[in-house]
Structures are given as structure tokens and as C-alpha cells.
Amino acid sequence: MSAVDDIRDGRTSLGIELGSTRIKACLIGPEPTEVLATGSFSWENRLADGLWTYPIDEVWSGVQAAYTALIDDAERRHGIRPDTFGAIGVSAMMHGYLAFDASGELLVSFRTWRNTHTGTASAELGELFGVNIPLRWSIAHLHQAVLDDEPHLSRIASITTLAGYVHHRLTGERVLGVGDASGMFPIDPATGDYDARMLGAYDAVVGERLPVPVARLLPAVLPAGAAAGALTAEGAALLDPRGGLRPGIPLCPPEGDAGTGMVATNSVAPRTGNVSAGTSIFAMVVLEHPLSEVHRELDLVTTPAGDEVAMVHCNNGASELAAWAGLFTRFAAASGNPTTDDAAFDVLFREALEGAADAGGLLAYNHLAGEPIAGLVEGRPLFVRTPSSALTLPNFMRSQVYGVFATLTLGMRVLAAEGVQLDRMFAHGGMFRTAGVAQRFLAGALGARVAVGELAAEGGAWGIAVLASYLSEADDLTLTEYLDQRVFASASLVTVDPDPADVAGFSAYLDRYRAGLAVEAAAVASL
């Protein structure tokens, strides 16, 4: 059948992902690799009263704008405006803190994953649970609010992530996919639910400082493929205020951007992993065996199917790199030779290929926000060099790209020391669109093969659309089988082996980077 027939008859899946800088919508057909339409909306977090946040009203104006752009794109491409879908999925930035009272009123501004004010809570919980509890996890945010005796706690009835919030407004169901839930509170791999021992330990410590046991505050946990409710009339009006969308569409469990990144790169089986680079950068490695000890650089989360994953999460990704690219784009325009952002990135990335393997002695710190792996509670972007370094455009650009990967590599080396092995590492995110540059440098940083797929640019919005399409197949196939047999069987991948010169050069860069973290810490203290 034609795409028009598939759209008209609802044989499609819609994915919506609320990322750090863009809200994206992606419509796929019965063949999951067939992208029928896309839409997006740009937004930025802001620092308000010392905390990183997004206005809650902008969540909905942004979702509506991305959805409308997708509908308009479908009409341009196929001559039809969809009014129904086979399934819908919602994904968003993981972690953070959205707290509500019993009537559904938001009690405090949305506190995103980027906030690092939860150090005391994180340390206390890590000692109590015997596992690493990152600063950005929802339970760390909640416990910090308890320690600070915040007044909203007397009214608190539920907490959730951004994906869980949007899903609840669309369906009325207070649920969360297990991958996203694993960034709220530790998951017991044996049950696929929140760890009962840790829930009890937390209640014993907190006592009456919370009005209800912590389990009652958390959304219910669901694995990939489970029914997670249907679009209500109110939810349809939220997505499409013009009234063109019919209710009753099933939704898959809402997931975090880490989970959709695993799906989008077919990295849900043991010995597979992926790197996602955007405002933040993180690596996910599916484990064969439990780790031997607790590491503060590593988070233990799960795939959307519930398998245990070691996550290296860095708060700072490609934003500082993009700011420098914007500077060069403006220079081109001021010189009378205007260029597009994408063209500027392409030129600058290709310059990086000509740089010295160790970036010529230059160092770039991309820390706009605090970086727990580096021991930094706040960020100060820095570009540093010695008088003897070689300040050239190729070296400068290579140092900036290396800077995106440096903190991530600190965490990945901890994982390697645990003896964790990888058969394949996939990369996705906008910085991998310029073929053969960021991918090559990441392979050198990790000392491992790195693959980029033809669907990497669609990212998590496509990944959650695939999870929505899996709803109709979950009774017959595991998620791994579905991805291998129905989605990636004929996928085109470009794989790069690490270049020995890049491996040695990046290692030298990382040694200087470690030493220079004292400069970064001094900048935080002084500026």
C-alpha cells in the first residue's frame, strides 16, 4: 500500500521526544525504517533562581509546534493530514524533578537533569543504598528537598520525569518505561521494578518528613511493549488544539532519551553500546555481568526491556562546540561571505582532520554546567594553551571536538578497567552528520570500533516511534529480536576502526586534560 493509505488508515507510529535543545516529532510507516514526516521546535533551558529549568507552558507550546510541523510536513510530502496513528510514544530528557500535589498542580519549577545542587543528598543515598546515586536522579532531587525542608513537601503526592508528565497529560496514566524509571530510583533487575529493599530503607530514614511512603510518589514501571494507556480527548486537544486528532490511540510506555538512543542504535543486547551527543553526552553499555564494585563515574540503569546498563553521563556535550561554530559563522557573514550553520560545521570539522593527533597542545573545556565526573559543581567554559602550543584552526577545532569526548572517556576507562567488553559501539547525534570526523575521533578516544547508521540524524524521536510500533509485536518477539529482524536487518552502517595515531594523540590530550582540571576548578572558584 502507499504511504497515503498507511497515513489515512493509521498504520503508522508517532514518536515525540523532548530533547535538551529541540522537541522533535517523527512519523514512521509499517516498515519502521520508513520515515514519513518530521517536525521540530527549538528551545533552551534557562537558569532561574540558581536552577536549570524549562517553563512548563513551553513544554506544551513546543510539543504543539513540533506536532503541527510534522502534520504540515506530511501534507507537503503526501498530500494528506493525519488524524490518527497506530500508536504514539513519548520520550524526553531523563532524570530531574517534577513534583505535583493531589490535584495535579506543579509544586515547584521543573528541575532538569543539569542541576548539581544535590550533592549532599546523592552522597547520603549512595551510602544508604550501597549503589551510586547520581546528582541528577529524581530521588536525589527529592531527598535534597527533604534535607532542605522545602515547604512544598507537605503537599507532595507524586513525582515523575518530563516524559512521564507528558504521557500522563495525554493518557491519564501515571506510568513510566523501566529505562526512564531507572533514572528516578534504583531498579531491581530480578523484578524489573523499584528495589524493594531500598524503598524500605529510604522510608525508614525519612520517616514523617514525607507525607506518604516514597513508592506512592513514583510512577508505575512498565517494560517495552506493555500497554500504557490510550490518548484521551483532553490529550488529543493538547497535541492538536485545532481539533484534527482523534482520541483512542494506544501509547507505549514513556521512555527517557537514553533508552530511545539505545533503540535508535540497536544497542539493547549485552556487549553492545551507544554514545549520544547533544547538549549532554552519555554512553550506554549493556552489561553481561554485574560490576564488581560501585563507581561514582558509572550509573546503573536499564534498557527499555529491563536489562542492566552501565551509563556514563556527562552534563556537557556539544553546546560549547556549537557556540564556537556560531562565532565563525558570524565572522563569515561579517566578512561578506555568509554561510549556513551546517556548512560552517562541515568546514570546521574537516579542518579538524588536519590537526595534530594531540591537538597541538591545546585544551578545550566544554563545561557550561557542573560536571560530576570531573568533580565540578559548576561550569566555566575554558580554552587553554601553553606558549609553546601550536594555535592553528585545525588544532583548535580538533581540541574542541576532543573536548566533547574527554569527560566521557574518563568514565569509559573506569568501565574498561572492570573488564567490560564491547562488540560494537554506535554513535548518534547531530555532530556525527559530517561523515568521518567526530566518528573517527570518538573511535580514537574509546579505542573501539564506532558505527554510525543512516537513521542516526532522526535520533530519539525515531527511537520512541519504533518503541510505539513494537506494541503490536511484543507478544511474539523480544525487543532485541524485533530490532534485529524487523528494523535493522537491512540497515546501512558505516563503521570506523580506531586509528593508532588518533588513539595515542587522544591519550596524550586526555593526560593534559586531567592535569588541567585544576585550572577549571580554579576558574569555578574565582569567576
Side-chain angles (χ1 to χ4, degrees):
M1 294 185 179
S2 70
V4 173
D5 294 327
D6 292 331
I7 293 171
R8 183 187 60 242
D9 297 337
R11 289 187 295 272
T12 56
S13 297
L14 171 67
I16 298 172
E17 180 158 277
L18 295 91
S20 301
T21 59
R22 283 200 302 160
I23 299 174
K24 296 183 289 185
C26 178
L27 183 67
I28 62 175
E31 293 296 326
T33 55
E34 180 186 19
V35 176
L36 301 177
T38 60
S40 68
F41 171 81
S42 296
W43 67 343
E44 288 287 349
N45 56 191
R46 62 197 68 178
L47 196 61
D49 299 323
L51 295 173
W52 292 101
T53 188
Y54 296 84
I56 208 69
D57 289 345
E58 196 172 356
V59 170
W60 294 109
S61 61
V63 166
Q64 290 164 2
Y67 177 82
T68 299
L70 177 138
I71 297 301
D72 291 343
D73 188 40
E75 185 174 35
R76 278 192 301 271
R77 293 197 204 185
H78 310 290
I80 184 173
R81 298 182 70 82
D83 64 0
T84 190
F85 309 100
I88 298 174
V90 176
S91 175
M93 298 168 278
M94 291 179 69
H95 319 299
Y97 185 71
L98 281 157
F100 301 90
D101 67 11
S103 66
E105 179 183 347
L106 184 65
L107 295 174
V108 291
S109 297
F110 170 35
R111 299 172 181 178
T112 79
W113 54 270
R114 202 170 192 179
N115 290 293
T116 55
H117 68 292
T118 58
T120 303
S122 174
E124 286 191 7
L125 293 173
E127 185 174 349
L128 176 65
F129 296 155
V131 298
N132 181 38
I133 301 296
L135 302 180
R136 66 188 181 279
W137 277 25
S138 303
I139 188 60
H141 282 264
L142 175 66
H143 190 52
Q144 192 66 51
V146 169
L147 296 177
D148 295 340
D149 197 24
E150 293 196 30
H152 77 271
L153 293 178
S154 63
R155 297 170 52 200
I156 195 168
S158 67
I159 63 173
T160 191
T161 64
L162 183 56
Y165 163 68
V166 173
H167 182 93
H168 178 255
R169 290 293 307 276
L170 296 181
T171 66
E173 300 290 336
R174 200 163 68 85
V175 300
L176 206 58
V178 62
D180 204 3
S182 68
M184 293 196 74
F185 194 93
I187 297 291
D188 181 349
T191 65
D193 205 345
Y194 303 116
D195 189 291
R197 178 189 65 81
M198 296 182 194
L199 290 171
Y202 187 71
D203 287 337
V205 166
V206 173
E208 295 182 356
R209 287 181 288 177
L210 287 176
V212 296
V214 66
R216 287 175 55 186
L217 298 178
L218 299 169
V221 181
L222 295 175
L231 186 68
T232 63
E234 179 191 25
L238 272 174
L239 271 185
D240 188 358
R242 293 179 295 183
L245 179 61
R246 288 187 272 159
I249 302 166
L251 272 78
C252 69
E255 265 299 347
D257 50 0
T260 58
M262 284 187 273
V263 170
T265 55
N266 194 18
S267 304
V268 299
R271 296 175 66 97
T272 66
N274 78 91
V275 170
S276 176
T279 301
S280 63
I281 183 170
F282 54 83
M284 312 286 290
V285 177
V286 187
L287 299 176
E288 290 182 282
H289 310 290
L291 299 180
S292 64
E293 60 183 284
V294 177
H295 300 279
R296 69 173 182 83
E297 299 90 347
L298 305 176
D299 313 345
L300 293 180
V301 292
T302 78
T303 71
D307 295 309
E308 196 164 36
V309 173
M311 181 180 191
V312 180
H313 184 283
C314 305
N315 283 350
N316 301 280
S319 294
E320 181 68 1
L321 174 65
W324 280 105
L327 190 73
F328 287 111
T329 302
R330 174 57 191 151
F331 173 80
S335 70
N337 299 284
T339 186
T340 65
D341 291 340
D342 284 348
F345 262 110
D346 188 70
V347 170
L348 293 169
F349 270 40
R350 296 197 184 285
E351 280 289 294
L353 291 174
E354 304 302 319
D358 68 346
L362 311 183
L363 280 175
Y365 293 93
N366 64 337
H367 300 153
L368 286 159
E371 194 58 83
I373 289 178
L376 300 167
V377 296
E378 295 182 38
R380 299 293 186 272
L382 289 178
F383 172 67
V384 182
R385 69 186 187 97
T386 61
S388 61
S389 61
L391 181 57
T392 66
L393 182 59
N395 284 343
F396 176 80
M397 287 311 304
R398 186 175 281 227
S399 75
Q400 291 294 333
V401 179
Y402 276 9
V404 175
F405 299 141
T407 310
L408 179 82
T409 307
L410 296 178
M412 289 297 292
R413 294 198 173 184
V414 173
L415 199 58
E418 274 272 4
V420 174
Q421 296 183 334
L422 280 169
D423 292 332
R424 60 187 188 219
M425 178 68 86
F426 287 79
H428 68 121
M431 68 182 298
F432 297 103
R433 288 204 302 266
T434 300
V437 183
Q439 180 185 9
R440 169 183 153 180
F441 293 159
L442 179 61
L446 301 181
R449 303 183 77 200
V450 174
V452 172
E454 59 186 10
L455 293 165
E458 301 295 344
W462 180 73
I464 192 64
V466 169
L467 283 173
S469 73
Y470 177 59
L471 275 177
S472 62
E473 302 276 0
D475 289 341
D476 301 315
L477 298 171
T478 66
L479 181 60
T480 297
E481 291 169 341
Y482 179 69
L483 295 178
D484 284 342
Q485 298 174 21
R486 303 289 174 82
V487 182
F488 287 93
S490 59
S492 175
L493 297 175
V494 176
T495 302
V496 170
D497 290 309
D499 183 304
D502 290 340
V503 173
F506 187 86
S507 182
Y509 179 93
L510 194 66
D511 287 342
R512 294 197 311 272
Y513 186 90
R514 287 181 192 268
L517 284 172
V519 179
E520 179 73 12
V524 171
S526 303
L527 298 177

